[in-house]
Amino acid sequence: MWVTTKLWNDFHGKEQVEPHLRDSLKQLKLDYVDLYLIHWPVTDVEAEELTPSIQETWGGMEAVLGMGLTKTIGVSNFSVSKLSAMKAYANTFPAVNQVELHPLCAQGPLVAACKDMGVALTGYSPLGSPDSAVMFNREPVNTLNHPVVTKVATEVGRSSGQVLIRWGVQRGTVVVPKSVTGSRIVENFDVFSFELSDAQMEQLSGIQEGEQRRACDGSFWVKPNGPYRNMEELWA
């Protein structure tokens, strides 16, 4: 079993990272986790600049790595530029970047950049996260019923969910689907007995740019006093 947990936005001060992780370990009844992530490049401070800075937070992350409280450290919801900026100060570069990935949020440039930087990509919401649409009162990202997805699913004799997971696997990313239904959990694991053709992968990866959007767009972190005043700044 591989256990990942995350550092929440209220605990980005360098000296806050260790006690927050120790609290998580206590709740998990573990001595260490396999992977510890900065959940968002966001804090609870509204200011011109991100405060505390990612550099400060990363210092705390490297410290808990050195203590053996986690085997690896990484980030989540980081853009290419935010990752690249870490090269200037990271003694241990993020092993993982966990972001939303599915054919309607393909993020091709980020996938390529992480590969170049040696950062593993974990794709959350690989099925489009229909439950988050209810949570955030938004139109769902219609991945499971998208005509390209259903067409490929018919061709390979699999469910749309299996096709979406397989697409992520064949792209070389880690895929973390969510389900509370036993039969679907079993189905989600059954994606290694078939492959998608190059043409099918191209069809799924080539869904038009106008259809691309996030299920979890981070709009709740946009604040009038910053550091992110609009969506472009958040994801830049």
Side-chain angles (χ1 to χ4, degrees), residues 39-59:
H39 200 144
W40 286 88
V42 172
T43 72
D44 61 343
V45 179
E46 288 190 47
E48 286 288 329
E49 301 291 333
L50 184 67
T51 308
S53 67
I54 294 299
Q55 180 173 356
E56 177 180 338
T57 308
W58 195 246

Side-chain angles (χ1 to χ4, degrees), residues 103-105 141 146-148 206-214:
L104 293 181
C105 186
V141 177
H146 191 281
V148 174
I207 291 176
Q208 293 183 4
E209 185 174 337
E211 296 183 74
Q212 296 285 307
R213 66 189 186 91
R214 302 174 190 270

Side-chain angles (χ1 to χ4, degrees), residues 59-130:
M61 298 289 284
E62 291 180 329
V64 295
L65 176 67
M67 296 173 192
L69 300 178
T70 180
K71 296 297 184 183
T72 46
I73 50 177
V75 297
S76 182
N77 298 301
F78 272 50
S79 64
V80 173
S81 62
K82 288 182 175 68
L83 270 176
S84 297
M86 296 181 71
K87 292 179 181 179
Y89 56 80
N91 296 309
T92 300
F93 204 68
V96 172
N97 186 18
Q98 186 183 108
V99 299
E100 182 175 344
L101 289 176
H102 48 73
L104 293 181
C105 186
Q107 305 210 64
L110 179 62
V111 173
C114 284
K115 183 177 180 180
D116 288 343
M117 288 187 278
V119 178
L121 264 181
T122 297
Y124 68 74
S125 299
L127 309 182
S129 191

Side-chain angles (χ1 to χ4, degrees), residues 158-197:
R158 299 284 178 155
S159 70
S160 291
Q162 286 174 306
V163 166
L164 291 167
I165 295 168
R166 183 66 204 182
W167 173 82
V169 169
Q170 282 189 220
R171 270 183 121 199
T173 62
V174 180
V175 185
V176 284
K178 172 188 172 183
S179 180
V180 296
T181 305
S183 59
R184 287 180 182 162
I185 292 171
V186 172
E187 182 181 281
N188 289 345
F189 273 109
D190 186 19
V191 294
F192 300 102
S193 57
F194 73 101
E195 289 188 4
L196 302 175
S197 68

